[in-house]
Amino acid sequence: MTIELPILITFVGYLVLMMGIGLWAYKATDSVDDYILGGRSMGPAVTALSVGASDMSGWLLLGLPGAIYLGGLGESWIGIGLVFGAWLNWLFVAKRLRIYTQFTDNALTLPDFFEKRFDDKKGILKLISAVTILLFFTFYTSSGMVGGAILFEKVFGLDYTIALIIGSIIIVAYTFVGGFFAVSWTDFFQGCLMLAALLFVPMAIFSEPATQTGLKQLDPQMLSMFSENTTFIGLASLLAWGLGYFGQPHILSRFMAIGSPDALKLSRRIAMSWMIVALIGALATGIAGSLYFAKTPLENSETVFIHLAHAAFNPWIGGLLVAAILSAIMSTIDSQLLVCSSVITEDFYKKWLRPQASSKELMLVGRIGVLAIAVISGVIALNPDSSVLGLVSYAWAGFGAAFGPVVILSLFWQQYSRNGAIATILVGAVTVVLWKQASGGLFDLYEILPGFAFATLAGIVVSLISKPSAQITEQFKLFNAKL
């Protein structure tokens, strides 16, 4: 695939626009509250598309179309599980978390919220939460780095390592500069571009003569939701992806940052509409790729969107569509880096090293944290055989199992205790790590399911043994009264 000047111009123009937003956000960021949560002033539309874009990432344009390209619509159960999980997260968690985090002395991060929710003066719960976030986000961010490297490698013909370095520098730059304002507003524009790309590419490909020829040779099983290889464990694993939403820090932080809890209803409608249409577009892209490349299979299935965009459109439009892939990747990595930065700033530096640090000092530490996590993630991504979907699935399971039960129980159960929360996080994280190492039989089940179940059970049992203090119980009652 040769580099065409219109693609390069369009691509660079898009990047300049994103950096412009980053610089604008830099001027609007005056305090650590602005840098971490945008001063809790985000509108419903920005919140909705920011959630969607930061959630779906390169997985939506690379991983999912690639899975459909190889396995057919049987892989779409992931999307069904995600839609159901996202809807429940918006419906039951969003408003409660927004109110409770502000109610608990304006908690800015999940570890900060857990500490204040359970009055953990020793800081053990915050420390465990922060370490867990940094561990799994390093792998999650690495998946985005891989996606960015694949993009630059295929579009511009660069060596994988050079592509990884260039992509990482671009992605990190505006997160480093602008903080939450930059991340949210760029996510808004990126969400719009991603949706347009996922609609236009399959529509164009389905009208191509090569697609019509491929349709005659396509295995009917590719269009079936069930195949001869469908198993209960496989189906349950795909649907279980929806459980992950309850514990994703980069998504939950959007709920915490919206200007008014009452605006979440409109935001939910926008977000779910965007998500459903985008997922349908991703599924259609995968099938379109199976048809178009029926005679000449792709070496890397996760590049199917890139090849289709190049084949169906002139270089100017193709450049914009390829930029949509970078949008998807950037929109998640920037959110992940920002959460890591927030954890390093609020939950490590301010908590343990410099409690009296000024806002400017904390913002500087946060920006240094962005660079540090990006470097570590880049090192993990150096393996050119890394899979975007594989890295995402591991991190998604880790967060879902470790934090999902904690968030739900914290918001809905009065008798949930600090020790119960610690047990939940540890059991969830350890189960995911250990289950991932095993294989065969029951161990082929996606690790988020056993992790979520065991973590919830551990939290309930430990909380019944070591009940919360009267002060924590009273705080929960006051929170409920505010709903």
Side-chain angles (χ1 to χ4, degrees):
M1 189 180 293
T2 58
I3 305 175
E4 298 182 62
L5 186 59
I7 288 182
L8 184 61
I9 293 174
T10 306
F11 200 75
V12 171
Y14 168 78
L15 295 177
V16 171
L17 174 62
M18 293 300 102
M19 281 305 301
I21 294 175
L23 292 173
W24 164 78
Y26 176 78
K27 296 179 180 179
T29 302
D30 298 321
S31 68
V32 70
D33 285 23
D34 289 341
Y35 188 77
I36 293 176
L37 281 186
R40 296 188 193 264
S41 61
M42 296 295 105
V46 173
T47 298
L49 292 194
S50 181
V51 167
S54 65
D55 161 26
M56 290 303 179
S57 71
W59 172 85
L60 185 64
L61 285 91
L62 296 175
L64 183 56
I68 300 297
Y69 167 79
L70 287 179
L73 289 181
E75 298 293 329
S76 65
W77 289 106
I78 293 179
I80 295 172
L82 289 174
V83 167
F84 190 61
W87 178 69
L88 291 177
N89 201 31
W90 275 99
L91 192 62
F92 294 109
V93 171
K95 185 174 182 179
R96 281 179 168 264
L97 185 65
R98 169 62 177 83
I99 294 174
Y100 213 164
T101 52
Q102 191 165 29
F103 179 71
T104 50
D105 194 26
N106 194 34
L108 298 178
T109 65
L110 270 187
D112 193 27
F113 167 62
F114 294 152
E115 180 183 56
K116 293 172 179 176
R117 161 69 172 85
F118 298 103
D119 193 28
D120 181 22
K121 293 183 172 59
K122 294 182 179 179
I124 298 175
L125 181 55
K126 174 180 275 193
L127 180 63
I128 293 173
S129 303
V131 170
T132 303
I133 286 175
L134 293 179
L135 169 66
F136 286 112
F137 257 148
T138 301
F139 285 97
Y140 210 150
T141 304
S142 181
S143 73
M145 301 288 190
V146 172
I150 290 175
L151 175 65
F152 281 89
E153 181 185 31
K154 297 301 179 183
V155 175
F156 300 114
L158 299 173
D159 173 75
Y160 179 86
T161 303
I162 296 175
L164 175 65
I165 294 172
I166 294 175
S168 300
I169 290 173
I170 291 171
I171 292 166
V172 169
Y174 73 92
T175 309
F176 177 85
V177 171
F180 196 89
F181 278 122
V183 167
S184 295
W185 276 100
T186 50
D187 282 357
F188 174 78
F189 290 110
Q190 288 160 355
C192 295
L193 183 56
M194 288 162 62
L195 185 63
L198 285 168
L199 291 177
F200 293 149
V201 168
M203 287 171 60
I205 292 297
F206 280 127
S207 64
E208 290 280 333
T211 304
Q212 303 301 320
T213 303
L215 184 59
K216 299 175 183 178
Q217 304 172 352
L218 187 68
D219 184 349
Q221 289 292 328
M222 291 288 288
L223 300 178
S224 173
M225 296 285 289
F226 299 94
S227 70
E228 57 185 19
N229 297 321
T230 301
T231 64
F232 174 77
I233 287 181
L235 186 59
S237 295
L238 294 176
L239 289 172
W241 277 72
L243 286 174
Y245 277 104
F246 302 109
Q248 304 301 315
H250 58 300
I251 295 174
L252 298 173
S253 65
R254 273 25 182 211
F255 299 155
M256 296 160 61
I258 196 166
S260 167
D262 295 331
L264 284 165
K265 186 175 182 179
L266 174 59
S267 193
R268 179 180 75 236
R269 291 173 177 171
I270 297 172
M272 292 310 302
S273 299
W274 180 94
M275 182 180 188
I276 292 171
V277 175
L279 282 170
I280 292 173
L283 299 179
T285 300
I287 294 298
S290 298
L291 298 173
Y292 192 84
F293 299 111
K295 293 184 177 180
T296 55
L298 298 175
E299 181 179 343
N300 184 348
S301 63
E302 292 188 339
T303 63
V304 62
F305 181 93
I306 299 174
H307 285 280
L308 289 178
H310 184 78
F313 295 95
N314 68 61
W316 291 103
I317 302 298
L320 191 60
L321 294 175
V322 169
I325 303 175
L326 185 61
S327 293
I329 295 166
M330 292 170 70
S331 62
T332 297
I333 291 186
D334 58 18
S335 302
Q336 294 161 351
L337 289 174
L338 185 63
V339 171
C340 291
S341 169
S342 304
V343 166
I344 292 171
T345 301
E346 286 289 308
D347 306 320
F348 282 113
Y349 190 79
K350 185 177 180 181
K351 173 68 179 179
W352 302 103
L353 300 177
R354 291 268 294 169
Q356 305 303 321
S358 66
S359 284
K360 287 188 176 181
E361 181 180 344
L362 292 174
M363 283 192 288
L364 176 60
V365 171
R367 289 181 170 121
I368 293 173
V370 166
L371 294 178
I373 296 298
V375 169
I376 297 172
S377 299
V379 171
I380 295 174
L382 281 172
N383 179 10
D385 295 324
S386 298
S387 163
V388 174
L389 189 58
L391 289 169
V392 168
S393 67
Y394 182 54
W396 186 266
F399 283 126
F403 291 128
V406 180
V407 170
I408 294 172
L409 292 172
S410 295
L411 297 176
F412 289 94
W413 191 27
Q414 181 175 303
Q415 297 303 315
Y416 196 36
S417 69
R418 185 205 72 157
N419 291 343
I422 292 175
T424 302
I425 295 172
L426 291 176
V427 170
V430 170
T431 300
V432 166
V433 172
L434 295 180
W435 199 276
K436 184 70 173 178
Q437 309 310 311
S439 62
L442 187 61
F443 290 107
D444 288 338
L445 186 67
Y446 184 25
E447 54 269 19
I448 194 173
L449 262 177
F452 199 98
F454 294 155
T456 303
L457 181 62
I460 293 173
V461 170
V462 173
S463 294
L464 291 175
I465 296 173
S466 58
K467 296 183 178 180
S469 65
Q471 180 181 349
I472 295 176
T473 303
E474 185 61 29
Q475 181 198 69
F476 186 88
K477 290 178 180 179
L478 292 174
F479 155 67
N480 265 330
K482 281 184 166 291
L483 293 175

